[in-house]
Amino acid sequence: MTKEKFNKYVMPTYAPAVTLIKGKGTKVWADNGMVYLDFIAGISVLNTGYSHPTVVAAIQDQAEKLIHVSNLYYTENQALLAELLSDISLGGKCFFANSGAEANEGLIKLARLWGHEEGKYEIICMKNSFHGRTLATAAATGQDKVKVGFEPMPEGFIHAEYNDLESVKSLISEKTVAVMLEAIQGEGGIVPATDEFFNGVRSLCDEHNILMLCDEVQCGMGRTGKWFGYQNYDSVPDAISIAKALGSGYPIGAVVSGEKLADVFQPGKHASTFGGTPLACAAAIATIQAIEAEDMVSAAVETGKIFEDGLRGFVKEFKHVIDVRGKGLMLGLVLDCDAKPLVDMLADMGLLTLATAGNVVRFLPPLNVKPSEIEEALDMLEDCIAELHEDSE
Ligand SMILES: *Cc1c(COP(=O)(O)O)cnc(C)c1O
């Protein structure tokens, strides 16, 4: 019923599998009676799990008081959230938007405005990166599949090899305004930047007076065992974009800057009708409070370690499993073959994961996933890999 109506009236940008009806913690229920352990969690949106009580209460309370006002007026929640985000990241100021793509669009415009007087506008992005589906963020994305059919793409984006400092260096010119990267590439297949690369990019940016921008949309908000992915390294970017987990599923995105870029946007230069509404900010404040109260950032380190160790065991045990990549609870199991059959089999058994970059099974469970749920997932994985492995002998 739902499926028929959905397929009749919703544009087929996705090909959904089952109909989900409710969620709690790491579990989600389908209308066909299946209960899943969700190790993809809205693709790193539900870092606090489904329906965290702190977030639910905050949304309910705020909805009764004030859902929306225009940004022509001050609101307390936007100030509170900006302070929280500034404190846990770059110490500068915030601009609020509604999604990852929109946050990145803001990041790109911020960089261009900063470089405008000197005629600098070009942004060096990374191959295999993902920054969104608007035209500018698709242009920034280092994957052809998001661009094909939509040409001409906006100008001003070129692409270097990720984890190859020489490649970045060779693209720097008098037009370059920024280097933009993910500390850990998500859609690209869970690929962490090496220390040498990440810190090297910072040095290059300093040498050439260009900005370092980090897309923290997927790897931010505690996911990697730090509040933000860049905090796994010694270098600090000039600005970051955040979205996905920021509102625990309530849409909100943000640009956070360091001191240098804090006052580049002036009235009239950038805007968003829904950016930072009292309701969205209430959801995000509650998300940060829940993560702090339950120390979920440390949990991502500890539970991530248990999970990673278990996954590493499969590299030894199974010949088609060749590597484990990632940090904290952002992990990828790398196969020497297509990951889709395994992902489909896992879903049939009750574990939701995602195939990424062809041969990688991606895991992004809620940060408060229980160690017992990690064990359950590892058991299902072992059974499924063993069965697939047997078939391929
Ligand atoms: C998901 C994602 C985006 C896009 O976010 P939307 O909210 O879908 O626009 C951008 N960058 C990264 C790294 C992402 O993972």
Side-chain angles (χ1 to χ4, degrees):
M1 240 276 286
T2 301
K3 269 186 202 170
E4 270 169 27
K5 191 173 290 193
F6 193 103
N7 292 336
K8 186 164 177 205
Y9 292 108
V10 179
M11 290 187 187
T13 54
Y14 288 82
V18 290
T19 304
L20 300 178
I21 50 175
K22 69 166 185 180
K24 189 74 203 155
T26 305
K27 292 208 168 74
V28 65
W29 282 258
D31 69 345
N32 62 5
M34 275 295 278
V35 185
Y36 297 98
L37 210 47
D38 189 352
F39 269 44
I40 205 66
I43 316 187
S44 202
V45 167
L46 301 159
N47 286 13
T48 60
Y50 284 96
S51 297
H52 192 287
T54 305
V55 178
V56 172
I59 291 175
Q60 284 173 341
D61 287 353
Q62 187 60 48
E64 289 191 356
K65 280 191 226 152
L66 190 63
I67 292 177
H68 174 87
V69 288
S70 158
N71 281 309
L72 297 169
Y73 306 94
Y74 284 113
T75 58
E76 189 183 11
N77 283 359
Q78 198 173 123
L80 288 174
L81 177 59
E83 181 185 30
L84 284 171
L85 288 176
S86 177
D87 284 351
I88 58 175
S89 64
L90 299 175
K93 294 185 179 176
C94 302
F95 170 82
F96 292 103
N98 308 285
S99 68
E102 210 190 330
N104 282 331
E105 192 88 19
L107 201 61
I108 291 162
K109 285 180 72 178
L110 184 65
R112 283 200 181 182
L113 193 58
W114 176 80
H116 190 253
E117 266 178 32
E118 289 178 62
K120 306 202 298 192
Y121 63 89
E122 196 165 74
I123 301 184
I124 300 174
C125 304
M126 300 301 139
K127 290 184 183 162
N128 294 320
S129 59
F130 183 78
H131 299 300
R133 297 284 194 155
T134 62
L135 280 171
T137 58
T141 293
Q143 303 188 48
D144 284 342
K145 68 177 184 198
V146 307
K147 308 183 194 203
V148 172
F150 302 106
E151 302 89 342
M153 282 285 125
E155 282 177 49
F157 303 92
I158 46 175
H159 296 87
E161 292 292 338
Y162 191 63
N163 279 336
D164 180 344
L165 205 54
E166 280 309 311
S167 161
V168 177
K169 204 171 177 175
S170 71
L171 294 179
I172 294 175
S173 72
E174 71 282 355
K175 291 182 294 191
T176 311
V177 74
V179 178
M180 180 170 175
L181 74 165
E182 298 155 85
I184 299 179
Q185 289 191 333
E187 305 301 309
I190 314 290
V191 188
T194 61
D195 288 312
E196 189 194 14
F197 181 68
F198 197 84
N199 298 327
V201 166
R202 179 70 271 178
S203 303
L204 274 182
C205 289
D206 290 341
E207 256 169 63
H208 295 269
N209 188 32
I210 58 189
L211 302 172
M212 180 173 179
L213 310 174
C214 284
D215 179 338
E216 292 277 352
V217 171
Q218 188 163 149
C219 63
M221 298 304 292
R223 174 56 55 195
T224 67
K226 302 277 183 188
W227 268 113
F228 295 101
Y230 78 82
Q231 292 164 344
N232 289 289
Y233 303 85
D234 293 330
S235 300
V236 178
D238 296 295
I240 59 175
S241 55
I242 315 172
K244 289 202 165 96
L246 179 54
S248 289
Y250 194 91
I252 178 168
V255 175
V256 190
S257 78
E259 286 295 328
K260 186 169 168 174
L261 300 175
D263 294 306
V264 170
F265 280 148
Q266 289 293 315
K269 276 298 178 196
H270 193 44
S272 167
T273 295
F274 290 127
T277 64
L279 186 55
C281 290
I285 291 166
T287 298
I288 294 172
Q289 286 169 345
I291 291 175
E292 276 177 346
E294 292 165 43
D295 207 359
M296 290 186 211
V297 182
S298 306
V301 177
E302 285 147 31
T303 323
K305 175 89 173 63
I306 301 173
F307 195 26
E308 189 180 339
D309 287 348
L311 293 174
R312 290 217 180 272
F314 300 151
V315 179
K316 289 204 196 87
E317 194 178 344
F318 299 110
K319 76 166 194 222
H320 292 293
V321 180
I322 54 173
D323 199 6
V324 178
R325 288 195 300 245
K327 291 182 193 290
L329 280 170
M330 182 170 188
L331 294 169
L333 189 72
V334 187
L335 311 179
D336 69 357
C337 54
D338 187 7
K340 188 87 172 43
L342 177 55
V343 165
D344 289 344
M345 191 186 266
L346 287 166
D348 289 342
M349 275 194 83
L351 179 68
L352 300 181
T353 62
L354 204 60
T356 306
N359 65 328
V360 182
V361 184
R362 180 164 41 156
F363 306 100
L364 302 158
L367 306 185
N368 52 3
V369 59
K370 300 188 193 96
S372 62
E373 292 168 329
I374 297 278
E375 296 302 338
E376 252 181 88
L378 286 168
D379 286 347
M380 285 192 251
L381 270 157
E382 188 167 27
D383 289 350
C384 289
I385 301 171
E387 199 175 323
L388 280 174
H389 187 99
E390 227 167 68
D391 291 348
S392 70
E393 289 299 281

